[in-house]
Amino acid sequence: MTKKQRAALAVQALKKEYPDAICSLNYKDPLQLLIATRLSAQCTDARVNLVTPALFKRFPTLDTFCNGTQEEIEEYIHSCGLYKTKARDILAMCRMLKEKFNGVVPDTIEALTQLPGVGRKTANLVVGDIYHKPAVVTDTHCIRICGRLGLSEGKDPAKVEKQLRAVLPPEESNDFCHRLVLHGRAVCTARNPKCEKCCMNKFCKSSTVKDESTA
């Protein structure tokens, strides 16, 4: 079985298991998703979702963020960890959006990664969820599960992204990554994955109950 064939099976299995492929971060506009994703670094999405309602109430627009201070932003995001760095990046990215991008969140990975604190993971999420372009979000769930499946090798996000872009159908890649997050939390956990409950155990390279004839 080729990697593309295995990827196609994985896409269909996860689509059936998790029909609603949605981002686990709560947001109402592109800027909110950009900020929420920056906050999610080394922090759970659940924690971010607890923090952002008050943050976005205080700073409802790009201009309000631009006119704010790092110290005030810090107060709202303190529980997300690395709050000083994140507050600095949020303020700087908002000011760059206003000054360089006319207040509009860019629609390309190349432009997005020019923003302070924005890496390819964040850029892919925005490009995929906001602009509905092919995207591969290589978070910890994606890297872990795709490695176990045999779709990718290594743990470097950029390298894994490149490997997955080569085997995933472009129109499916964004939703596939969202479903990996759900599957990684429920079944294919970092420790003690529940292979017997996995919808991909018949073709997963690492499954303890796989069908050897299809591996």
Side-chain angles (χ1 to χ4, degrees):
M1 183 183 295
T2 67
K3 287 185 178 181
K4 278 195 173 184
Q5 290 172 326
R6 197 181 306 277
L9 288 174
V11 165
Q12 293 307 313
L14 289 176
K15 186 182 291 188
K16 183 177 180 181
E17 192 78 6
Y18 309 97
D20 298 323
I22 58 174
C23 179
S24 55
L25 292 168
N26 297 332
Y27 65 94
K28 293 181 180 178
D29 57 46
L31 178 63
Q32 287 190 0
L33 178 59
L34 188 64
I35 291 171
T37 308
R38 179 65 189 96
L39 291 175
S40 70
Q42 298 184 44
C43 178
T44 66
D45 290 352
R47 166 56 57 184
V48 173
N49 288 337
L50 290 174
V51 166
T52 49
L55 177 68
F56 295 148
K57 184 177 181 180
R58 168 61 184 86
F59 302 100
T61 65
L62 180 65
D63 283 340
T64 53
F65 270 110
C66 290
N67 293 329
T69 65
Q70 178 178 329
E71 290 73 23
E72 188 174 8
I73 295 173
E74 287 176 8
E75 293 176 9
Y76 285 91
I77 67 171
H78 192 280
S79 65
C80 286
L82 303 175
Y83 65 96
K84 287 186 178 293
T85 300
K86 291 177 181 180
R88 182 194 66 207
D89 287 345
I90 288 170
L91 187 59
M93 76 166 64
C94 286
R95 289 175 175 172
M96 181 181 282
L97 281 172
K98 186 174 182 178
E99 295 166 5
K100 186 172 182 177
F101 297 101
N102 298 315
V104 178
V105 174
D107 63 352
T108 67
I109 291 174
E110 291 71 27
L112 283 163
T113 51
Q114 294 178 37
L115 297 169
V118 176
R120 290 190 66 87
K121 171 190 164 184
T122 298
N124 268 285
L125 185 62
V126 171
V127 165
D129 272 41
I130 300 298
Y131 298 108
H132 309 295
K133 295 181 178 183
V136 178
V137 180
T138 50
D139 63 7
T140 54
H141 295 290
C142 175
I143 292 171
R144 179 177 72 251
I145 297 173
C146 288
R148 288 174 175 172
L149 281 167
L151 300 181
S152 61
E153 298 176 357
K155 295 184 178 181
D156 180 84
K159 292 180 180 178
V160 172
E161 178 191 334
K162 184 176 181 180
Q163 293 170 42
L164 293 179
R165 284 185 181 274
V167 298
L168 287 171
E171 69 279 6
E172 298 282 1
S173 59
N174 191 49
D175 286 348
F176 178 73
C177 291
H178 283 322
R179 292 181 174 112
L180 288 176
V181 173
L182 299 174
H183 193 64
R185 290 173 179 164
V187 179
C188 195
T189 53
R191 296 182 180 180
N192 304 315
K194 306 175 182 67
C195 292
E196 70 283 356
K197 296 182 179 180
C198 182
C199 60
M200 299 184 286
N201 61 21
K202 293 295 189 292
F203 55 84
C204 176
K205 284 273 192 179
S206 304
S207 176
T208 58
V209 293
K210 67 188 177 186
D211 182 351
E212 296 294 342
S213 65
T214 62

